């Protein structure tokens, strides 16, 4: 029964949808959208609604839709009351359309990008309807929070003050406000970016400011230094973020607060005469990226990478870290580990938080040893904290894709003779084979090292049956992943390159089939000697 016939009236829900990613819609918002009788949303005359596109996964498909089309946005109008008169009439008519549903007992959801009470069109409906019908607000994640998250950068910390500013204030007023706050978020910048950039420049904040376009928008998200943005190319869904002094790690004043004067370059004559405060020492984290891709990266590693100021490592590994414009990236050749380690520690001495990246685990044929050796070998670095952040090793990754070939005792060896002589490698291989270990072989071959693998195979065959299972894992975790099962006797070195890791089974390793798939296992029980 409708309210007109004596039934209960409907409820208006102002539902915040967050910054754009449908997965950032709250559970409550999704539930209410799916249950509503009527779904309403604003759009320009082109008919496309960002709000509806965000909410689409949560629509039932049989709901009444009310598209509230603005009669004007920036264009001129023939309305006798001008732009203000046209918009006021639109809001009154739109409110009337929604109240007709409420009066009939239908619950109405009015979709709002971001939060319904934060620079949102929903407010105009709320003012006109909430005195006559029940109105419930479902808050959403604002673009300010989404942009800060996209930057992986603290916005405010400690006593930092955040000011949210509309870019439409004008350059002079924006300049005054920016000089009087620690952190700022500047919204409504699409048609006023030239003035926003002028205000950032005049207030001394331009170098600290970041432009974020379509925060949380996946591949459409764009992050740039605010000074590098073309004012003619700034869309509606964009924002400028200026981190606070404490959050941005700027010098503190006498009261312990982040110094806004230092942040904006407004130092007094007395301050100019004083020596700069000594910057605190940063830190170095040696981070394991795992074998490939974000899915193989630990949450701890992701958090450390996000917090870093500098990313240091072998260039292809540095490229695996998602770019962030506030971070500096230092890629180098694979043969300069000692120099790379010292460079990272030197950055930390200058107050930087440095992530030195390695593929797999940084403690397995990687950078952890080099960094710790450099830190211990030079008294300059005695006070630099160094932590090792573990990663999934290549041996573990290949083993998981093949089954469980490392299910019992195993040995890890590198065939590279760049840092140790071949006779040491040969002795260790022979000893591991004689002791009946499964063996994970790193760096089995490269373009310049082709003979070592053939020699290693011959050494192993002196102690192992030719039918011993061998796993060749290539580019595990990538779209080019290949897992090849062969035997020691049939191992062809031509199949192997630097992107491969080999696992040679023990005498107990065997191939079994599960669900029609061949799997390699090394049982956990070892037979007792007779």
């Amino acid at each position: 029964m409708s309210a007109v016939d004596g039934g209960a009236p409907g409820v208006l829900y102002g539902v915040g949808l967050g910054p754009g990613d449908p997965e950032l819609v709250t559970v409550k918002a999704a539930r209410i959208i799916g249950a509503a009788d009527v779904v309403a949303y604003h759009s320009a005359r082109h008919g496309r609604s960002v709000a509806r596109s965000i909410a689409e996964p949560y629509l039932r498909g049989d709901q009444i839709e009310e598209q509230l089309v603005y009669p004007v946005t920036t264009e001129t109008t023939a309305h006798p009351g001008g732009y203000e008169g046209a918009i006021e009439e639109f809001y009154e008519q739109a409110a009337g359309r929604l109240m007709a549903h409420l009066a009939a007992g239908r619950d109405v959801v009015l979709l709002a990008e971001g939060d319904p009470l934060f620079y949102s069109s929903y407010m105009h409906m709320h003012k006109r309807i909430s005195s006559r019908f029940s109105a419930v607000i479902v808050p959403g994640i604002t673009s300010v929070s989404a942009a800060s998250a996209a930057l992986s950068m603290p916005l405010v910390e400690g006593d930092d003050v955040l000011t949210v500013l509309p870019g439409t204030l004008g350059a002079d007023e924006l300049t005054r406000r920016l000089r009087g706050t620690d952190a700022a978020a500047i919204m409504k910048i699409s048609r006023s970016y030239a003035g926003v950039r002028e205000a950032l420049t005049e207030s001394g904040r331009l170098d600290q400011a970041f432009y974020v376009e379509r925060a949380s928008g996946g591949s459409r998200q764009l992050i740039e230094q605010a000074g590098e943005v073309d004012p003619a190319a700034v869309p509606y869904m964009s924002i400028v973020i200026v981190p606070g002094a404490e959050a941005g790690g700027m010098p503190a004043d006498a009261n312990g607060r982040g110094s806004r004067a230092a942040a904006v370059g407004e130092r007094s004559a007395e301050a100019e005469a004083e020596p700069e405060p000594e910057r605190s020492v940063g830190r170095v984290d040696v981070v394991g990226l795992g074998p490939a891709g974000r899915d193989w990266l630990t949450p701890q590693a992701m958090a450390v990478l996000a917090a870093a100021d500098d990313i240091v490592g072998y260039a292809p590994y540095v490229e695996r870290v998602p770019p962030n414009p506030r971070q500096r990236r230092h890629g180098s050749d694979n043969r300069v580990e000692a120099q790379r380690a010292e460079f990272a520690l030197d950055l930390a001495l200058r107050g930087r938080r440095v992530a030195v990246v390695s593929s797999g685990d940084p403690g397995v044929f990687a950078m952890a040893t080099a960094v710790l050796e450099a830190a211990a070998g030079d008294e300059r670095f005695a006070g630099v904290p160094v932590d090792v952040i573990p990663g999934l090793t290549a041996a573990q990754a290949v083993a998981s894709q093949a089954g469980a070939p490392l299910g019992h005792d195993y040995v890890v060896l590198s065939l590279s003779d760049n840092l140790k002589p071949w006779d040491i490698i040969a002795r260790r291989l022979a000893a591991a084979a004689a002791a009946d270990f499964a063996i994970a072989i790193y760096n089995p071959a490269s373009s310049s090292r082709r003979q070592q693998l053939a020699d290693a195979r011959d050494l192993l065959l002196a102690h192992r049956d030719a039918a011993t299972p061998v796993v060749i894992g290539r580019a595990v975790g990538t779209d080019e992943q290949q897992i090849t099962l062969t035997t020691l006797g049939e191992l062809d070195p031509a199949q192997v390159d630097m992107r491969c890791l080999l696992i040679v089974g023990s005498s107990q390793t065997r191939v079994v089939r599960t669900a029609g798939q061949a799997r390699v296992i090394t049982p956990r029980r070892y037979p007792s000697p007779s």
Side-chain angles (χ1 to χ4, degrees), residues 444-445 450 453 457 470-474 482-487 490-502:
R450 304 306 305 172
L453 181 55
R457 178 194 58 197
V470 173
V471 179
I472 304 173
R474 185 178 189 279
Q482 294 177 346
I483 299 295
T484 303
L485 303 184
T486 184
T487 64
E490 296 177 351
L491 174 60
D492 180 5
Q495 293 180 281
V496 180
D497 59 24
M498 196 60 183
R499 300 185 72 189
C500 294
L501 179 135
L502 271 59

Side-chain angles (χ1 to χ4, degrees), residues 386-404:
V386 177
D387 278 346
V388 179
I389 312 301
L392 185 65
T393 70
Q396 293 168 317
V398 172
S400 72
Q401 302 304 290

Side-chain angles (χ1 to χ4, degrees), residues 239-254:
I239 187 171
V240 167
I241 295 292
V242 185
E246 285 195 54
M250 296 172 187
D253 62 19

Side-chain angles (χ1 to χ4, degrees), residues 283-287 300 354 356 362 368 371-372 384-389:
R283 61 177 300 108
V284 175
D285 293 291
V286 195
V287 182
Q300 182 190 22
V354 185
V356 178
V371 173
L372 291 169
V384 177
V386 177
D387 278 346
V388 179
I389 312 301

Side-chain angles (χ1 to χ4, degrees), residues 95-350:
R97 288 164 60 183
L98 301 188
M99 286 191 287
H101 290 295
L102 296 169
R106 303 185 191 101
D107 289 341
V108 177
V109 160
L110 180 52
L111 304 175
E113 300 154 38
D115 182 271
L117 300 182
F118 190 80
Y119 292 114
S120 169
S121 296
Y122 168 79
M123 290 181 285
H124 299 287
M125 297 296 99
H126 187 83
K127 293 173 184 177
R128 291 165 170 80
I129 297 175
S130 60
S131 63
R132 300 177 59 182
F133 295 91
S134 295
V136 175
I137 306 298
V138 182
I141 297 171
T142 70
S143 58
V144 176
S145 295
S148 180
L151 290 167
S152 297
M153 176 185 291
L155 181 58
V156 284
E157 181 179 348
D159 293 332
D160 282 339
V161 174
L162 171 65
T163 302
V164 179
L165 299 166
T168 51
L169 281 177
D172 291 344
E173 182 63 14
L174 276 175
T175 300
R176 186 182 72 81
R177 300 288 186 103
L178 286 168
R179 284 175 173 161
T181 190
D182 298 301
I186 309 176
M187 306 180 67
K188 300 184 179 181
I189 63 175
S190 62
R191 292 184 174 88
S192 53
Y193 195 79
V196 170
R197 189 166 64 183
E198 178 184 343
L200 289 167
T201 302
E202 291 299 314
S203 63
R205 310 300 296 271
L206 185 63
D207 288 345
Q208 306 147 26
F210 295 91
Y211 168 88
V212 183
E213 181 179 310
R214 296 185 174 90
S216 83
S219 61
R220 301 180 70 199
Q221 176 177 289
L222 176 65
I223 299 172
E224 291 187 287
Q225 293 282 347
E228 299 175 0
V229 176
D230 178 3
V234 176
Y236 172 74
M237 297 188 72
S238 54
I239 187 171
V240 167
I241 295 292
V242 185
E246 285 195 54
M250 296 172 187
D253 62 19
N255 298 316
R257 293 190 59 192
S259 172
R260 185 183 310 121
V264 301
E266 297 177 345
R267 294 173 57 84
S268 66
E270 292 81 2
E272 291 290 351
E274 296 173 357
E276 286 289 338
E278 185 175 341
R279 188 168 185 181
S280 60
V281 173
R283 61 177 300 108
V284 175
D285 293 291
V286 195
V287 182
L289 300 177
R294 187 180 180 89
D295 288 347
W296 299 79
L297 192 66
T298 69
Q300 182 190 22
M302 283 191 279
V304 170
L305 291 172
D309 301 313
D310 294 79
I311 308 294
V312 174
Y314 177 41
Y317 300 157
V318 170
E319 290 172 4
R320 284 173 49 185
V321 180
N324 186 320
R326 70 170 181 79
Q327 294 176 332
R328 301 174 186 170
R329 298 161 74 87
H330 312 273
S332 55
D333 187 85
N334 201 29
R335 294 166 291 183
V336 292
E337 289 186 355
Q339 297 94 316
R340 186 185 302 139
E342 186 171 336
F343 174 73
L345 291 161
D346 204 44
L347 285 174
L349 280 181
R350 291 182 252 160

Side-chain angles (χ1 to χ4, degrees), residues 443-469:
N443 307 313
S446 69
S447 58
S448 61
R449 291 188 297 104
R450 304 306 305 172
Q451 184 58 39
Q452 284 91 333
L453 181 55
D455 293 344
R457 178 194 58 197
D458 295 341
L459 281 168
L460 293 171
L461 281 170
H463 300 274
R464 296 280 165 88
D465 191 283
T468 301

Side-chain angles (χ1 to χ4, degrees), residues 9 15 28 39 42 48 84 93 104 115 127 169 172 180 185 216 231-232 269 275 346 395-396 408 439 474 507:
V15 176
K28 183 173 184 177
V39 177
H42 292 88
R48 298 184 298 275
E84 293 296 334
Q93 292 176 349
D115 182 271
K127 293 173 184 177
L169 281 177
D172 291 344
S216 83
D346 204 44
Q396 293 168 317
H408 203 281
I439 306 171
R474 185 178 189 279
S507 65

